[in-house]
Amino acid sequence: MQHILIVYGTTDGHTRKIAQVLAEDLRANLCSVDTLDAAGPLWHLSAEGYDSVIVAASVHIGDYQRAVARWVRAHAPMLNTMPTAFLSVCLAVVERRIESRQEILRIMKHFLARGGWQPTITKMVAGALPYTRYGWLKRQMMKRIVAKGGGDTDTTRDYEYTDWVDLRNFAQDFAALAAEHEDAALLATVAEGFRCEYYPLGPQRGAGHGGSVTQESAADHRQPENHPAQSEPNSARPSSHAEKPKTDPRQSEQDPREITPSPTSPLAA
């Protein structure tokens, strides 16, 4: 099971809702998920112990929440070693002007460069216009900004532009990405363990078909040989004794196929 951390920053509460819905979608994909408010009491929580991280922040007055920027800077080295995603929550997604999207991309690149973080995925998510929750001044300011982009300007109601189906699809894709990363890490660990277990001293005698045999010295299987220097002279040998037939040296070597494997060898089982 994947252990995923979602860190978010919110100003009017909509990014918190996105983080909560995303967490439920990931849990539906058999992931274990924790959510963290970067400005909350547990802001110091580290990404250590998690398999992947998603960071969500909303754009306000040309930048993201300071608490999110602080958290990213503190944990960027660890974030760069795992699958991660950055969700930029903004209204530029629903605007018709291409200049608005380009401006959000510029803000996003500056934010990531400043934090030293290179997320695996970056994604724009449409936000909301909760006019009824704004103060009078902010309500008028947001109305003027949205009017320039051809958006909704009725301040007596709230507007929610987030595509929840698209967010659910993103959750499925990110869960699959995190699972692939975990499988690759597991295979690398198994492969490293295989090399350590089967090849600690290099190639070994008698190993084949993926097996392993305890390395033994060739002298353990070599039979004693009669050297002329150690034999008696022919003149001193009694003539009545028949000379023993010579043994083929090739037959003195024990057939390697008949080597009895070590009790600790996998072949002894």
Side-chain angles (χ1 to χ4, degrees):
M1 177 179 290
Q2 302 297 312
H3 299 280
I4 301 176
L5 175 65
I6 301 178
V7 180
Y8 66 90
T10 187
T11 302
D12 301 306
H14 189 68
T15 306
R16 179 187 297 109
K17 181 178 179 180
I18 289 175
Q20 292 172 347
V21 172
L22 181 59
E24 292 301 319
D25 290 339
L26 288 169
R27 292 183 184 115
N29 285 273
L30 305 180
C31 297
S32 172
V33 185
D34 293 330
T35 58
L36 172 66
D37 185 350
L42 298 179
W43 62 268
H44 59 279
L45 180 66
S46 170
E48 185 177 359
Y50 292 94
D51 300 310
S52 51
V53 175
I54 299 174
V55 177
S58 54
V59 178
H60 286 273
I61 316 177
D63 205 355
Y64 300 99
Q65 285 81 8
R66 292 182 179 179
V68 177
R70 176 186 61 189
W71 193 91
V72 167
R73 284 195 303 270
H75 304 288
M78 186 175 299
L79 293 176
N80 290 328
T81 65
M82 62 176 69
T84 56
F86 177 61
L87 305 186
S88 176
V89 182
C90 57
L91 295 176
V93 181
V94 297
E95 290 191 17
R96 300 183 180 92
R97 297 181 305 161
I98 191 172
E99 293 83 6
S100 298
R101 288 176 173 263
Q102 291 175 342
E103 177 64 13
I104 294 300
L105 287 175
R106 184 193 66 79
I107 295 173
M108 184 190 304
K109 290 180 179 179
H110 179 68
F111 169 80
L112 296 175
R114 191 174 55 196
W117 176 33
Q118 297 179 345
T120 311
I121 300 172
T122 57
K123 179 179 178 61
M124 287 187 186
V125 179
L129 274 173
Y131 279 125
T132 60
R133 283 182 279 167
Y134 293 153
W136 182 87
L137 181 60
K138 185 173 183 179
R139 185 184 306 122
Q140 299 304 316
M141 182 181 65
M142 292 301 299
K143 179 181 178 179
R144 295 182 61 181
I145 294 174
V146 172
K148 291 181 180 180
D152 299 299
T153 57
D154 183 359
T155 60
T156 62
R157 52 168 296 188
D158 297 336
Y159 298 89
E160 191 174 87
Y161 303 105
T162 305
D163 187 341
W164 301 111
V165 175
D166 180 66
L167 192 67
R168 184 178 301 113
N169 293 334
F170 166 77
Q172 294 176 351
D173 294 340
F174 190 81
L177 173 67
E180 289 177 2
H181 183 269
E182 183 184 39
D183 291 342
L186 179 61
L187 288 175
T189 302
V190 172
E192 182 64 25
F194 181 86
R195 286 193 294 270
C196 292
E197 179 179 358
Y198 288 91
Y199 302 101
L201 300 175
Q204 302 176 4
R205 297 186 68 231
H209 304 289
S212 173
V213 177
T214 303
Q215 192 173 24
E216 301 178 9
S217 171
D220 296 338
H221 305 292
R222 189 165 54 239
Q223 300 296 329
E225 297 181 1
N226 293 326
H227 298 283
Q230 299 175 354
S231 303
E232 297 182 0
N234 293 336
S235 57
R237 183 180 301 167
S239 58
S240 60
H241 290 180
E243 186 174 353
K244 294 183 180 180
K246 293 183 179 181
T247 303
D248 188 348
R250 291 172 298 179
Q251 297 180 358
S252 63
E253 293 281 353
Q254 186 176 357
D255 191 343
R257 292 171 297 181
E258 298 178 359
I259 296 176
T260 301
S262 170
T264 61
S265 169
L267 298 181

mmCIF file of all heavy atoms in Angstrom, residues 102-131:
data_model
loop_
_atom_site.group_PDB
_atom_site.id
_atom_site.type_symbol
_atom_site.label_atom_id
_atom_site.label_comp_id
_atom_site.label_asym_id
_atom_site.label_seq_id
_atom_site.Cartn_x
_atom_site.Cartn_y
_atom_site.Cartn_z
ATOM 1 N N GLN A 102 -0.272 32.097 -19.087
ATOM 2 C CA GLN A 102 1.169 32.328 -19.145
ATOM 3 C C GLN A 102 1.669 32.966 -17.851
ATOM 4 O O GLN A 102 2.766 32.658 -17.378
ATOM 5 C CB GLN A 102 1.501 33.208 -20.348
ATOM 6 C CG GLN A 102 1.282 32.516 -21.689
ATOM 7 C CD GLN A 102 1.507 33.445 -22.870
ATOM 8 O OE1 GLN A 102 1.502 34.673 -22.713
ATOM 9 N NE2 GLN A 102 1.704 32.874 -24.041
ATOM 10 N N GLU A 103 0.866 33.844 -17.276
ATOM 11 C CA GLU A 103 1.258 34.479 -16.026
ATOM 12 C C GLU A 103 1.310 33.459 -14.886
ATOM 13 O O GLU A 103 2.223 33.478 -14.054
ATOM 14 C CB GLU A 103 0.282 35.604 -15.689
ATOM 15 C CG GLU A 103 0.541 36.288 -14.363
ATOM 16 C CD GLU A 103 1.876 37.027 -14.318
ATOM 17 O OE1 GLU A 103 2.496 37.228 -15.391
ATOM 18 O OE2 GLU A 103 2.298 37.415 -13.209
ATOM 19 N N ILE A 104 0.344 32.538 -14.849
ATOM 20 C CA ILE A 104 0.340 31.498 -13.811
ATOM 21 C C ILE A 104 1.542 30.582 -13.982
ATOM 22 O O ILE A 104 2.181 30.180 -12.991
ATOM 23 C CB ILE A 104 -0.968 30.692 -13.855
ATOM 24 C CG1 ILE A 104 -2.149 31.585 -13.478
ATOM 25 C CG2 ILE A 104 -0.893 29.496 -12.920
ATOM 26 C CD1 ILE A 104 -2.058 32.186 -12.098
ATOM 27 N N LEU A 105 1.889 30.240 -15.214
ATOM 28 C CA LEU A 105 3.064 29.399 -15.459
ATOM 29 C C LEU A 105 4.331 30.104 -14.978
ATOM 30 O O LEU A 105 5.229 29.466 -14.415
ATOM 31 C CB LEU A 105 3.169 29.058 -16.942
ATOM 32 C CG LEU A 105 2.152 28.050 -17.481
ATOM 33 C CD1 LEU A 105 2.295 27.908 -18.997
ATOM 34 C CD2 LEU A 105 2.327 26.694 -16.818
ATOM 35 N N ARG A 106 4.411 31.410 -15.199
ATOM 36 C CA ARG A 106 5.576 32.164 -14.737
ATOM 37 C C ARG A 106 5.661 32.151 -13.209
ATOM 38 O O ARG A 106 6.738 31.939 -12.634
ATOM 39 C CB ARG A 106 5.497 33.610 -15.251
ATOM 40 C CG ARG A 106 6.729 34.448 -14.907
ATOM 41 C CD ARG A 106 6.461 35.917 -15.145
ATOM 42 N NE ARG A 106 5.444 36.424 -14.219
ATOM 43 C CZ ARG A 106 5.697 36.746 -12.954
ATOM 44 N NH1 ARG A 106 6.917 36.593 -12.435
ATOM 45 N NH2 ARG A 106 4.730 37.203 -12.183
ATOM 46 N N ILE A 107 4.518 32.349 -12.550
ATOM 47 C CA ILE A 107 4.488 32.326 -11.084
ATOM 48 C C ILE A 107 4.877 30.948 -10.557
ATOM 49 O O ILE A 107 5.626 30.817 -9.580
ATOM 50 C CB ILE A 107 3.085 32.728 -10.580
ATOM 51 C CG1 ILE A 107 2.790 34.183 -10.943
ATOM 52 C CG2 ILE A 107 2.974 32.522 -9.075
ATOM 53 C CD1 ILE A 107 1.367 34.612 -10.640
ATOM 54 N N MET A 108 4.388 29.900 -11.216
ATOM 55 C CA MET A 108 4.689 28.529 -10.789
ATOM 56 C C MET A 108 6.183 28.213 -10.927
ATOM 57 O O MET A 108 6.795 27.667 -10.009
ATOM 58 C CB MET A 108 3.873 27.534 -11.619
ATOM 59 C CG MET A 108 4.039 26.085 -11.185
ATOM 60 S SD MET A 108 3.309 24.912 -12.362
ATOM 61 C CE MET A 108 1.614 25.503 -12.446
ATOM 62 N N LYS A 109 6.771 28.576 -12.066
ATOM 63 C CA LYS A 109 8.191 28.296 -12.286
ATOM 64 C C LYS A 109 9.052 29.040 -11.270
ATOM 65 O O LYS A 109 10.043 28.500 -10.753
ATOM 66 C CB LYS A 109 8.579 28.688 -13.714
ATOM 67 C CG LYS A 109 7.992 27.777 -14.787
ATOM 68 C CD LYS A 109 8.419 28.225 -16.177
ATOM 69 C CE LYS A 109 7.844 27.309 -17.238
ATOM 70 N NZ LYS A 109 8.228 27.744 -18.613
ATOM 71 N N HIS A 110 8.687 30.269 -10.981
ATOM 72 C CA HIS A 110 9.447 31.041 -10.001
ATOM 73 C C HIS A 110 9.335 30.420 -8.611
ATOM 74 O O HIS A 110 10.325 30.337 -7.870
ATOM 75 C CB HIS A 110 8.931 32.489 -9.978
ATOM 76 C CG HIS A 110 9.635 33.361 -8.996
ATOM 77 N ND1 HIS A 110 10.957 33.737 -9.137
ATOM 78 C CD2 HIS A 110 9.210 33.944 -7.831
ATOM 79 C CE1 HIS A 110 11.320 34.497 -8.118
ATOM 80 N NE2 HIS A 110 10.277 34.630 -7.306
ATOM 81 N N PHE A 111 8.150 29.961 -8.263
ATOM 82 C CA PHE A 111 7.927 29.331 -6.956
ATOM 83 C C PHE A 111 8.765 28.057 -6.813
ATOM 84 O O PHE A 111 9.416 27.842 -5.777
ATOM 85 C CB PHE A 111 6.441 29.010 -6.811
ATOM 86 C CG PHE A 111 6.109 28.134 -5.635
ATOM 87 C CD1 PHE A 111 6.004 28.665 -4.351
ATOM 88 C CD2 PHE A 111 5.890 26.768 -5.794
ATOM 89 C CE1 PHE A 111 5.688 27.860 -3.260
ATOM 90 C CE2 PHE A 111 5.580 25.964 -4.722
ATOM 91 C CZ PHE A 111 5.481 26.501 -3.452
ATOM 92 N N LEU A 112 8.780 27.211 -7.844
ATOM 93 C CA LEU A 112 9.517 25.954 -7.778
ATOM 94 C C LEU A 112 11.029 26.190 -7.774
ATOM 95 O O LEU A 112 11.768 25.512 -7.048
ATOM 96 C CB LEU A 112 9.120 25.056 -8.952
ATOM 97 C CG LEU A 112 7.652 24.604 -8.973
ATOM 98 C CD1 LEU A 112 7.354 23.815 -10.244
ATOM 99 C CD2 LEU A 112 7.328 23.772 -7.746
ATOM 100 N N ALA A 113 11.485 27.139 -8.579
ATOM 101 C CA ALA A 113 12.926 27.441 -8.605
ATOM 102 C C ALA A 113 13.388 28.003 -7.268
ATOM 103 O O ALA A 113 14.478 27.672 -6.782
ATOM 104 C CB ALA A 113 13.220 28.426 -9.734
ATOM 105 N N ARG A 114 12.574 28.841 -6.660
ATOM 106 C CA ARG A 114 12.914 29.438 -5.372
ATOM 107 C C ARG A 114 12.984 28.390 -4.264
ATOM 108 O O ARG A 114 13.795 28.476 -3.346
ATOM 109 C CB ARG A 114 11.874 30.500 -5.026
ATOM 110 C CG ARG A 114 12.209 31.394 -3.856
ATOM 111 C CD ARG A 114 11.143 32.471 -3.742
ATOM 112 N NE ARG A 114 9.813 31.889 -3.655
ATOM 113 C CZ ARG A 114 8.699 32.574 -3.855
ATOM 114 N NH1 ARG A 114 8.748 33.843 -4.196
ATOM 115 N NH2 ARG A 114 7.536 31.976 -3.739
ATOM 116 N N GLY A 115 12.135 27.356 -4.397
ATOM 117 C CA GLY A 115 12.120 26.307 -3.385
ATOM 118 C C GLY A 115 13.095 25.175 -3.647
ATOM 119 O O GLY A 115 13.293 24.313 -2.788
ATOM 120 N N GLY A 116 13.722 25.147 -4.837
ATOM 121 C CA GLY A 116 14.665 24.078 -5.169
ATOM 122 C C GLY A 116 13.999 22.735 -5.376
ATOM 123 O O GLY A 116 14.616 21.690 -5.175
ATOM 124 N N TRP A 117 12.758 22.753 -5.798
ATOM 125 C CA TRP A 117 11.980 21.517 -5.961
ATOM 126 C C TRP A 117 11.657 21.296 -7.428
ATOM 127 O O TRP A 117 11.257 22.219 -8.135
ATOM 128 C CB TRP A 117 10.699 21.619 -5.138
ATOM 129 C CG TRP A 117 9.747 20.464 -5.274
ATOM 130 C CD1 TRP A 117 10.066 19.150 -5.485
ATOM 131 C CD2 TRP A 117 8.317 20.519 -5.200
ATOM 132 N NE1 TRP A 117 8.923 18.378 -5.544
ATOM 133 C CE2 TRP A 117 7.840 19.194 -5.371
ATOM 134 C CE3 TRP A 117 7.394 21.544 -5.008
ATOM 135 C CZ2 TRP A 117 6.480 18.892 -5.362
ATOM 136 C CZ3 TRP A 117 6.054 21.249 -4.985
ATOM 137 C CH2 TRP A 117 5.602 19.942 -5.163
ATOM 138 N N GLN A 118 11.809 20.049 -7.879
ATOM 139 C CA GLN A 118 11.468 19.652 -9.242
ATOM 140 C C GLN A 118 10.411 18.548 -9.178
ATOM 141 O O GLN A 118 10.740 17.355 -9.171
ATOM 142 C CB GLN A 118 12.708 19.172 -9.993
ATOM 143 C CG GLN A 118 13.772 20.255 -10.172
ATOM 144 C CD GLN A 118 15.003 19.738 -10.898
ATOM 145 O OE1 GLN A 118 15.208 18.536 -11.037
ATOM 146 N NE2 GLN A 118 15.827 20.654 -11.364
ATOM 147 N N PRO A 119 9.132 18.907 -9.112
ATOM 148 C CA PRO A 119 8.083 17.889 -9.004
ATOM 149 C C PRO A 119 7.980 17.028 -10.249
ATOM 150 O O PRO A 119 8.290 17.476 -11.363
ATOM 151 C CB PRO A 119 6.805 18.724 -8.796
ATOM 152 C CG PRO A 119 7.116 20.057 -9.391
ATOM 153 C CD PRO A 119 8.585 20.279 -9.160
ATOM 154 N N THR A 120 7.545 15.803 -10.060
ATOM 155 C CA THR A 120 7.358 14.892 -11.186
ATOM 156 C C THR A 120 6.232 15.376 -12.090
ATOM 157 O O THR A 120 6.308 15.256 -13.318
ATOM 158 C CB THR A 120 7.024 13.477 -10.666
ATOM 159 O OG1 THR A 120 7.958 13.113 -9.648
ATOM 160 C CG2 THR A 120 7.072 12.459 -11.785
ATOM 161 N N ILE A 121 5.180 15.924 -11.486
ATOM 162 C CA ILE A 121 4.007 16.393 -12.222
ATOM 163 C C ILE A 121 3.637 17.784 -11.724
ATOM 164 O O ILE A 121 3.662 18.050 -10.521
ATOM 165 C CB ILE A 121 2.805 15.447 -12.019
ATOM 166 C CG1 ILE A 121 3.126 14.036 -12.512
ATOM 167 C CG2 ILE A 121 1.560 15.978 -12.733
ATOM 168 C CD1 ILE A 121 2.049 13.026 -12.171
ATOM 169 N N THR A 122 3.290 18.673 -12.647
ATOM 170 C CA THR A 122 2.689 19.962 -12.290
ATOM 171 C C THR A 122 1.338 20.038 -12.996
ATOM 172 O O THR A 122 1.207 19.627 -14.149
ATOM 173 C CB THR A 122 3.565 21.145 -12.709
ATOM 174 O OG1 THR A 122 3.815 21.076 -14.122
ATOM 175 C CG2 THR A 122 4.883 21.135 -11.961
ATOM 176 N N LYS A 123 0.354 20.573 -12.288
ATOM 177 C CA LYS A 123 -0.998 20.584 -12.844
ATOM 178 C C LYS A 123 -1.743 21.824 -12.354
ATOM 179 O O LYS A 123 -1.672 22.168 -11.179
ATOM 180 C CB LYS A 123 -1.754 19.327 -12.421
ATOM 181 C CG LYS A 123 -3.193 19.222 -12.926
ATOM 182 C CD LYS A 123 -3.826 17.932 -12.473
ATOM 183 C CE LYS A 123 -5.268 17.822 -12.925
ATOM 184 N NZ LYS A 123 -5.403 17.852 -14.399
ATOM 185 N N MET A 124 -2.485 22.463 -13.268
ATOM 186 C CA MET A 124 -3.365 23.568 -12.904
ATOM 187 C C MET A 124 -4.750 23.010 -12.571
ATOM 188 O O MET A 124 -5.280 22.173 -13.308
ATOM 189 C CB MET A 124 -3.482 24.566 -14.048
ATOM 190 C CG MET A 124 -2.266 25.416 -14.276
ATOM 191 S SD MET A 124 -2.592 26.709 -15.510
ATOM 192 C CE MET A 124 -0.959 27.411 -15.687
ATOM 193 N N VAL A 125 -5.308 23.492 -11.481
ATOM 194 C CA VAL A 125 -6.643 23.082 -11.059
ATOM 195 C C VAL A 125 -7.495 24.337 -10.887
ATOM 196 O O VAL A 125 -7.079 25.281 -10.208
ATOM 197 C CB VAL A 125 -6.599 22.281 -9.744
ATOM 198 C CG1 VAL A 125 -8.003 21.884 -9.308
ATOM 199 C CG2 VAL A 125 -5.723 21.049 -9.902
ATOM 200 N N ALA A 126 -8.657 24.340 -11.490
ATOM 201 C CA ALA A 126 -9.535 25.504 -11.387
ATOM 202 C C ALA A 126 -10.036 25.656 -9.957
ATOM 203 O O ALA A 126 -10.381 24.674 -9.297
ATOM 204 C CB ALA A 126 -10.713 25.352 -12.356
ATOM 205 N N GLY A 127 -10.067 26.877 -9.500
ATOM 206 C CA GLY A 127 -10.471 27.148 -8.124
ATOM 207 C C GLY A 127 -11.932 27.535 -8.000
ATOM 208 O O GLY A 127 -12.804 26.960 -8.663
ATOM 209 N N ALA A 128 -12.213 28.533 -7.164
ATOM 210 C CA ALA A 128 -13.594 28.930 -6.899
ATOM 211 C C ALA A 128 -13.654 30.420 -6.626
ATOM 212 O O ALA A 128 -12.638 31.078 -6.344
ATOM 213 C CB ALA A 128 -14.150 28.140 -5.722
ATOM 214 N N LEU A 129 -14.877 30.949 -6.681
ATOM 215 C CA LEU A 129 -15.146 32.347 -6.342
ATOM 216 C C LEU A 129 -16.212 32.379 -5.250
ATOM 217 O O LEU A 129 -17.413 32.482 -5.533
ATOM 218 C CB LEU A 129 -15.642 33.115 -7.573
ATOM 219 C CG LEU A 129 -14.585 33.703 -8.510
ATOM 220 C CD1 LEU A 129 -15.251 34.279 -9.747
ATOM 221 C CD2 LEU A 129 -13.760 34.771 -7.800
ATOM 222 N N PRO A 130 -15.806 32.310 -4.006
ATOM 223 C CA PRO A 130 -16.798 32.375 -2.912
ATOM 224 C C PRO A 130 -17.116 33.817 -2.546
ATOM 225 O O PRO A 130 -16.714 34.319 -1.482
ATOM 226 C CB PRO A 130 -16.081 31.631 -1.775
ATOM 227 C CG PRO A 130 -14.629 31.904 -2.023
ATOM 228 C CD PRO A 130 -14.454 32.006 -3.510
ATOM 229 N N TYR A 131 -17.826 34.489 -3.414
ATOM 230 C CA TYR A 131 -18.119 35.906 -3.210
ATOM 231 C C TYR A 131 -18.741 36.188 -1.844
ATOM 232 O O TYR A 131 -18.412 37.185 -1.188
ATOM 233 C CB TYR A 131 -19.088 36.397 -4.302
ATOM 234 C CG TYR A 131 -18.433 36.724 -5.627
ATOM 235 C CD1 TYR A 131 -18.870 36.136 -6.807
ATOM 236 C CD2 TYR A 131 -17.411 37.664 -5.707
ATOM 237 C CE1 TYR A 131 -18.298 36.438 -8.032
ATOM 238 C CE2 TYR A 131 -16.824 37.981 -6.938
ATOM 239 C CZ TYR A 131 -17.272 37.362 -8.096
ATOM 240 O OH TYR A 131 -16.693 37.684 -9.304
#
